Amino acid sequence: MAMQNYPAPGESMKQDGSLSTAQPVVLSMPDQKVNDDIIFSTFNLHFCNPCCLGFGAFYNSIKARDIRLLGDIPMARSYATRARKLNIAAAIIGSISLLIFIIVIAKSFSSVTSSVHRY
């Protein structure tokens, strides 16, 4: 009665009966995370949309997400970068516009109240 050899974990049995050790293979995958800033783009689309910058940012965010799903990571990062720049521009221009609007309303309100007090 012949004794049968069984492979240990990490080893495999060859056809001739000898054992061979398997080496693990490590694959490095590139980082496929693309930050498309979809929430920031949606906020700018609804609340800070001067010169349609918010719409442009939203469009580029959606495009970045779609292209990332297709597997073209460099092109998706390009769209995501463009969306981020448009988001920042829309937020800055929208904030400055809101600040100017508040100042104009406050000045006009103060002039109205001062003219009412004169009479």
Side-chain angles (χ1 to χ4, degrees), residues 2 12-13 18 26 31 33 45-46 48 53 57 63 66 71 73 77 88 95 101 103 118-119:
S12 62
M13 182 76 79
S18 63
V26 178
D31 185 25
K33 186 173 186 309
L45 176 66
H46 292 293
C48 296
L53 290 175
K63 196 77 169 165
D66 290 344
I73 301 301
R77 286 184 194 199
I88 292 169
S95 299
F101 178 74
I103 291 171
R118 275 189 241 154
Y119 292 115

mmCIF file of all heavy atoms in Angstrom, residues 2 12-13 18 26 31 33 45-46 48 53 57 63 66 71 73 77 88 95 101 103 118-119:
data_model
loop_
_atom_site.group_PDB
_atom_site.id
_atom_site.type_symbol
_atom_site.label_atom_id
_atom_site.label_comp_id
_atom_site.label_asym_id
_atom_site.label_seq_id
_atom_site.Cartn_x
_atom_site.Cartn_y
_atom_site.Cartn_z
ATOM 1 N N ALA A 2 0.775 2.040 -1.051
ATOM 2 C CA ALA A 2 1.624 3.228 -1.198
ATOM 3 C C ALA A 2 0.961 4.412 -0.523
ATOM 4 O O ALA A 2 -0.247 4.584 -0.571
ATOM 5 C CB ALA A 2 1.828 3.525 -2.667
ATOM 6 N N SER A 12 1.222 22.917 -4.980
ATOM 7 C CA SER A 12 0.368 22.215 -5.920
ATOM 8 C C SER A 12 1.080 20.943 -6.380
ATOM 9 O O SER A 12 2.299 20.851 -6.357
ATOM 10 C CB SER A 12 0.042 23.110 -7.125
ATOM 11 O OG SER A 12 1.221 23.443 -7.810
ATOM 12 N N MET A 13 0.295 19.981 -6.766
ATOM 13 C CA MET A 13 0.813 18.689 -7.183
ATOM 14 C C MET A 13 1.030 18.697 -8.687
ATOM 15 O O MET A 13 0.142 19.057 -9.448
ATOM 16 C CB MET A 13 -0.193 17.594 -6.816
ATOM 17 C CG MET A 13 0.261 16.204 -7.156
ATOM 18 S SD MET A 13 1.470 15.582 -6.015
ATOM 19 C CE MET A 13 0.423 15.107 -4.676
ATOM 20 N N SER A 18 5.578 15.240 -8.001
ATOM 21 C CA SER A 18 6.369 16.120 -7.154
ATOM 22 C C SER A 18 5.544 17.357 -6.784
ATOM 23 O O SER A 18 4.575 17.710 -7.453
ATOM 24 C CB SER A 18 7.653 16.531 -7.859
ATOM 25 O OG SER A 18 7.342 17.281 -9.025
ATOM 26 N N VAL A 26 1.007 39.680 -6.895
ATOM 27 C CA VAL A 26 0.416 40.926 -6.411
ATOM 28 C C VAL A 26 0.300 41.869 -7.597
ATOM 29 O O VAL A 26 1.289 42.180 -8.254
ATOM 30 C CB VAL A 26 1.294 41.559 -5.307
ATOM 31 C CG1 VAL A 26 0.699 42.878 -4.859
ATOM 32 C CG2 VAL A 26 1.448 40.606 -4.150
ATOM 33 N N ASP A 31 -5.170 53.928 -8.762
ATOM 34 C CA ASP A 31 -6.290 54.486 -8.018
ATOM 35 C C ASP A 31 -7.364 54.947 -8.997
ATOM 36 O O ASP A 31 -7.115 55.794 -9.845
ATOM 37 C CB ASP A 31 -5.808 55.653 -7.160
ATOM 38 C CG ASP A 31 -6.903 56.193 -6.275
ATOM 39 O OD1 ASP A 31 -7.845 55.431 -5.961
ATOM 40 O OD2 ASP A 31 -6.816 57.371 -5.897
ATOM 41 N N LYS A 33 -10.326 56.216 -8.092
ATOM 42 C CA LYS A 33 -11.275 57.116 -7.453
ATOM 43 C C LYS A 33 -11.177 58.484 -8.118
ATOM 44 O O LYS A 33 -10.114 59.066 -8.214
ATOM 45 C CB LYS A 33 -10.952 57.235 -5.969
ATOM 46 C CG LYS A 33 -11.972 58.025 -5.197
ATOM 47 C CD LYS A 33 -11.657 57.951 -3.725
ATOM 48 C CE LYS A 33 -12.716 58.595 -2.872
ATOM 49 N NZ LYS A 33 -13.104 59.898 -3.218
ATOM 50 N N LEU A 45 -25.616 74.632 -8.969
ATOM 51 C CA LEU A 45 -26.637 74.668 -10.020
ATOM 52 C C LEU A 45 -27.900 75.351 -9.511
ATOM 53 O O LEU A 45 -28.518 76.137 -10.230
ATOM 54 C CB LEU A 45 -26.959 73.248 -10.494
ATOM 55 C CG LEU A 45 -28.083 73.104 -11.519
ATOM 56 C CD1 LEU A 45 -27.679 73.760 -12.833
ATOM 57 C CD2 LEU A 45 -28.398 71.642 -11.738
ATOM 58 N N HIS A 46 -28.263 75.086 -8.260
ATOM 59 C CA HIS A 46 -29.515 75.626 -7.731
ATOM 60 C C HIS A 46 -29.372 76.989 -7.068
ATOM 61 O O HIS A 46 -30.299 77.800 -7.137
ATOM 62 C CB HIS A 46 -30.125 74.637 -6.731
ATOM 63 C CG HIS A 46 -30.604 73.387 -7.380
ATOM 64 N ND1 HIS A 46 -31.667 73.354 -8.243
ATOM 65 C CD2 HIS A 46 -30.147 72.123 -7.309
ATOM 66 C CE1 HIS A 46 -31.857 72.120 -8.670
ATOM 67 N NE2 HIS A 46 -30.937 71.349 -8.120
ATOM 68 N N CYS A 48 -26.041 79.042 -6.726
ATOM 69 C CA CYS A 48 -24.984 79.956 -7.200
ATOM 70 C C CYS A 48 -24.748 79.681 -8.681
ATOM 71 O O CYS A 48 -23.824 78.966 -9.042
ATOM 72 C CB CYS A 48 -23.684 79.738 -6.427
ATOM 73 S SG CYS A 48 -23.794 80.119 -4.697
ATOM 74 N N LEU A 53 -22.378 79.173 -14.666
ATOM 75 C CA LEU A 53 -21.203 78.418 -14.216
ATOM 76 C C LEU A 53 -21.621 77.181 -13.430
ATOM 77 O O LEU A 53 -20.972 76.141 -13.508
ATOM 78 C CB LEU A 53 -20.294 79.302 -13.371
ATOM 79 C CG LEU A 53 -19.540 80.403 -14.101
ATOM 80 C CD1 LEU A 53 -18.789 81.271 -13.112
ATOM 81 C CD2 LEU A 53 -18.601 79.813 -15.116
ATOM 82 N N ALA A 57 -20.574 73.360 -14.285
ATOM 83 C CA ALA A 57 -19.951 72.486 -13.284
ATOM 84 C C ALA A 57 -20.752 71.195 -13.134
ATOM 85 O O ALA A 57 -20.177 70.100 -13.049
ATOM 86 C CB ALA A 57 -19.856 73.210 -11.948
ATOM 87 N N LYS A 63 -20.491 64.226 -16.507
ATOM 88 C CA LYS A 63 -19.631 63.674 -17.555
ATOM 89 C C LYS A 63 -18.456 62.901 -16.942
ATOM 90 O O LYS A 63 -18.094 61.821 -17.425
ATOM 91 C CB LYS A 63 -19.120 64.819 -18.440
ATOM 92 C CG LYS A 63 -18.562 64.394 -19.741
ATOM 93 C CD LYS A 63 -19.660 64.058 -20.707
ATOM 94 C CE LYS A 63 -19.057 63.897 -22.068
ATOM 95 N NZ LYS A 63 -19.957 63.251 -22.985
ATOM 96 N N ASP A 66 -19.791 59.561 -15.684
ATOM 97 C CA ASP A 66 -20.087 58.633 -16.782
ATOM 98 C C ASP A 66 -18.810 58.060 -17.397
ATOM 99 O O ASP A 66 -18.722 56.868 -17.675
ATOM 100 C CB ASP A 66 -20.910 59.326 -17.865
ATOM 101 C CG ASP A 66 -22.327 59.631 -17.421
ATOM 102 O OD1 ASP A 66 -22.762 59.049 -16.409
ATOM 103 O OD2 ASP A 66 -22.983 60.459 -18.078
ATOM 104 N N GLY A 71 -14.396 53.589 -17.789
ATOM 105 C CA GLY A 71 -13.033 53.131 -17.569
ATOM 106 C C GLY A 71 -11.938 54.072 -18.022
ATOM 107 O O GLY A 71 -10.770 53.762 -17.874
ATOM 108 N N ILE A 73 -10.097 56.721 -16.951
ATOM 109 C CA ILE A 73 -9.812 57.472 -15.729
ATOM 110 C C ILE A 73 -9.142 58.826 -16.011
ATOM 111 O O ILE A 73 -9.534 59.836 -15.426
ATOM 112 C CB ILE A 73 -8.970 56.616 -14.755
ATOM 113 C CG1 ILE A 73 -9.704 55.328 -14.406
ATOM 114 C CG2 ILE A 73 -8.621 57.391 -13.493
ATOM 115 C CD1 ILE A 73 -11.046 55.510 -13.771
ATOM 116 N N ARG A 77 -10.793 62.364 -14.835
ATOM 117 C CA ARG A 77 -10.126 63.328 -13.954
ATOM 118 C C ARG A 77 -10.084 64.715 -14.591
ATOM 119 O O ARG A 77 -10.173 65.722 -13.893
ATOM 120 C CB ARG A 77 -8.725 62.861 -13.629
ATOM 121 C CG ARG A 77 -8.762 61.729 -12.660
ATOM 122 C CD ARG A 77 -7.430 61.286 -12.237
ATOM 123 N NE ARG A 77 -7.646 59.994 -11.582
ATOM 124 C CZ ARG A 77 -6.823 59.438 -10.772
ATOM 125 N NH1 ARG A 77 -5.697 60.013 -10.522
ATOM 126 N NH2 ARG A 77 -7.104 58.292 -10.211
ATOM 127 N N ILE A 88 -15.763 76.351 -7.962
ATOM 128 C CA ILE A 88 -15.118 77.384 -7.157
ATOM 129 C C ILE A 88 -15.435 78.766 -7.712
ATOM 130 O O ILE A 88 -15.771 79.689 -6.954
ATOM 131 C CB ILE A 88 -13.598 77.132 -7.079
ATOM 132 C CG1 ILE A 88 -13.322 75.868 -6.257
ATOM 133 C CG2 ILE A 88 -12.871 78.328 -6.496
ATOM 134 C CD1 ILE A 88 -11.897 75.375 -6.321
ATOM 135 N N SER A 95 -21.149 84.330 -4.170
ATOM 136 C CA SER A 95 -21.012 84.922 -2.833
ATOM 137 C C SER A 95 -20.797 86.429 -2.924
ATOM 138 O O SER A 95 -21.388 87.195 -2.149
ATOM 139 C CB SER A 95 -19.846 84.286 -2.092
ATOM 140 O OG SER A 95 -20.057 82.917 -1.924
ATOM 141 N N PHE A 101 -25.545 92.487 -3.170
ATOM 142 C CA PHE A 101 -27.005 92.623 -3.088
ATOM 143 C C PHE A 101 -27.432 93.011 -1.671
ATOM 144 O O PHE A 101 -28.274 93.895 -1.482
ATOM 145 C CB PHE A 101 -27.672 91.323 -3.533
ATOM 146 C CG PHE A 101 -29.156 91.344 -3.450
ATOM 147 C CD1 PHE A 101 -29.898 92.056 -4.366
ATOM 148 C CD2 PHE A 101 -29.825 90.651 -2.444
ATOM 149 C CE1 PHE A 101 -31.278 92.085 -4.286
ATOM 150 C CE2 PHE A 101 -31.193 90.669 -2.361
ATOM 151 C CZ PHE A 101 -31.929 91.392 -3.279
ATOM 152 N N ILE A 103 -25.613 94.534 0.608
ATOM 153 C CA ILE A 103 -25.158 95.904 0.871
ATOM 154 C C ILE A 103 -26.081 96.911 0.209
ATOM 155 O O ILE A 103 -26.464 97.923 0.820
ATOM 156 C CB ILE A 103 -23.690 96.086 0.418
ATOM 157 C CG1 ILE A 103 -22.759 95.289 1.329
ATOM 158 C CG2 ILE A 103 -23.302 97.556 0.381
ATOM 159 C CD1 ILE A 103 -21.324 95.220 0.842
ATOM 160 N N ARG A 118 -37.139 112.205 8.473
ATOM 161 C CA ARG A 118 -37.058 113.638 8.216
ATOM 162 C C ARG A 118 -38.441 114.271 8.140
ATOM 163 O O ARG A 118 -38.625 115.417 8.471
ATOM 164 C CB ARG A 118 -36.310 113.905 6.911
ATOM 165 C CG ARG A 118 -34.816 113.933 7.102
ATOM 166 C CD ARG A 118 -34.126 114.402 5.855
ATOM 167 N NE ARG A 118 -33.251 113.271 5.440
ATOM 168 C CZ ARG A 118 -32.863 113.064 4.223
ATOM 169 N NH1 ARG A 118 -33.242 113.837 3.252
ATOM 170 N NH2 ARG A 118 -32.086 112.058 3.959
ATOM 171 N N TYR A 119 -39.423 113.522 7.653
ATOM 172 C CA TYR A 119 -40.770 114.077 7.497
ATOM 173 C C TYR A 119 -41.498 113.835 8.730
ATOM 174 O O TYR A 119 -42.212 114.072 9.414
ATOM 175 C CB TYR A 119 -41.481 113.442 6.297
ATOM 176 C CG TYR A 119 -40.848 113.832 4.990
ATOM 177 C CD1 TYR A 119 -40.241 112.877 4.197
ATOM 178 C CD2 TYR A 119 -40.871 115.152 4.567
ATOM 179 C CE1 TYR A 119 -39.661 113.223 2.993
ATOM 180 C CE2 TYR A 119 -40.287 115.490 3.348
ATOM 181 C CZ TYR A 119 -39.701 114.520 2.580
ATOM 182 O OH TYR A 119 -39.136 114.864 1.390
#
